[in-house]
Amino acid sequence: MSWDAKDVALLKKLWAAGQSASQIARRLECSRNAVCGRLTRLGLKRGHKSPTAKPKIRPVPKRRPALLAACARPVAKKVSLKPVGRQPKEFSKSQLYAMLADAVRNTG
């Protein structure tokens, strides 16, 4: 679209009045992207910023003292010093092979 002075003046007037780019595009009989491009080149902006432009930073909620006290110090673990019971039985190779053969036979 070719923009003449009359169209640019109407664009500025409608934009200042708060109309959307789509509404202005219908009025000027052009595409919305053409209106947005012209607004960008003219440096026209709305008076407000989008909600994501500057997010609000909320403070972290404080913990309750009771919860902090419970987590402040780890409890010492009690380790029992029981004597080791019996040692595992050691098998010979032939005993291991015999147990393996029994296991294979039983899995049928």
Side-chain angles (χ1 to χ4, degrees):
M1 173 180 176
S2 61
W3 292 88
D4 57 355
K6 179 182 164 189
D7 291 334
V8 172
L10 183 59
L11 170 71
K12 287 181 181 181
K13 177 183 159 199
L14 295 174
W15 186 252
Q19 289 194 7
S20 69
S22 297
Q23 292 170 335
I24 297 170
R26 272 187 251 119
R27 179 90 180 261
L28 294 174
E29 297 178 357
C30 64
S31 70
R32 179 186 170 279
N33 285 339
V35 171
C36 291
R38 179 53 61 178
L39 289 170
T40 301
R41 285 188 290 280
L42 291 173
L44 297 175
K45 297 180 182 176
R46 291 280 186 207
H48 61 84
K49 292 184 179 180
S50 65
T52 58
K54 191 173 182 183
K56 293 180 181 177
I57 299 174
R58 292 185 287 167
V60 177
K62 294 181 180 179
R63 291 188 178 197
R64 295 180 182 157
L67 294 176
L68 285 174
C71 298
R73 238 180 287 151
V75 178
K77 292 183 180 178
K78 292 183 180 180
V79 180
S80 64
L81 298 175
K82 292 181 182 177
V84 177
R86 58 181 201 171
Q87 293 292 326
K89 187 175 178 184
E90 290 191 22
F91 297 102
S92 66
K93 263 189 181 176
S94 60
Q95 289 173 325
L96 289 173
Y97 282 128
M99 287 191 306
L100 180 63
D102 286 339
V104 169
R105 265 185 266 140
N106 290 336
T107 56

